[in-house]
Amino acid sequence: MFIDHPPPRDKQPNPYKGNRGVMRAWRALKYSLSGFKFAVFEESAFRQELALAALLLPAAIFLPVTAVERVLLIGSMLLVLIIELVNSSIEAAIDRISLERHELSKRAKDFGSAAVLVALGLCLLTWASLAGPVIVDLVRTAFF
């Protein structure tokens, strides 16, 4: 049984956290779609990675691979997009705080950029190891 404890006196409840249930889920969906829209229209790196995903997704669907391999191919693409969204949010928060050049701001942005690079490397490794041999076999049987 759960006991509902009131918040501590020194902490006032967040007025933006009052929604519960279906209304909260609806608003969360609207905020998520808004974030996606901002990423598409404002972030060129996200658009580039989204274009790459648009090319690779049909390949992942139609390549003759196992279901687990298909999930890994698609998941590695989605991971790049997820990390790019997180990186963009870090950059926006840093820019909101201050546009002046500061070593900690640079470090935070560089960490986010490095995370995107690692995700891209993982995506490349996944595609090279899972889709690469299949594509080579398809080309070999088609032309040789």
Side-chain angles (χ1 to χ4, degrees):
M1 181 164 76
F2 295 101
I3 300 173
D4 190 24
H5 294 287
R9 290 180 193 217
D10 61 335
K11 287 192 169 191
Q12 296 297 322
N14 186 335
Y16 299 106
K17 297 284 185 178
N19 297 317
R20 298 198 187 298
V22 174
M23 201 59 184
R24 189 205 68 75
W26 175 251
R27 286 201 173 112
L29 175 64
K30 284 176 43 180
Y31 297 145
S32 297
L33 293 175
S34 175
F36 193 76
K37 180 179 148 186
F38 276 117
V40 168
F41 289 110
E42 303 292 329
E43 296 293 331
S44 61
F46 186 77
R47 282 193 303 274
Q48 292 168 347
E49 292 154 356
L50 195 58
L52 180 65
L55 293 173
L56 293 179
L57 182 63
I61 291 171
F62 293 114
L63 278 175
V65 294
T66 67
V68 171
E69 290 170 333
R70 185 169 285 111
V71 167
L72 290 171
L73 293 171
I74 294 170
S76 68
M77 291 182 314
L78 293 177
L79 181 65
V80 170
L81 296 175
I82 292 166
I83 299 297
E84 184 61 52
L85 288 169
V86 171
N87 180 44
S88 296
S89 68
I90 290 168
E91 290 179 354
I94 295 295
D95 292 345
R96 165 64 176 90
I97 293 168
S98 173
L99 291 176
E100 77 178 60
R101 295 189 184 272
H102 191 279
E103 182 58 33
L104 291 176
S105 297
K106 180 185 180 325
R107 190 180 307 173
K109 289 182 174 190
D110 288 351
F111 286 155
S113 181
V116 173
L117 182 64
V118 170
L120 283 167
L122 177 64
C123 185
L124 178 66
L125 180 66
T126 303
W127 276 82
S129 60
L130 297 179
V134 173
I135 293 170
V136 168
D137 284 344
L138 289 173
V139 170
R140 187 176 298 144
T141 57
F143 296 109
F144 302 109

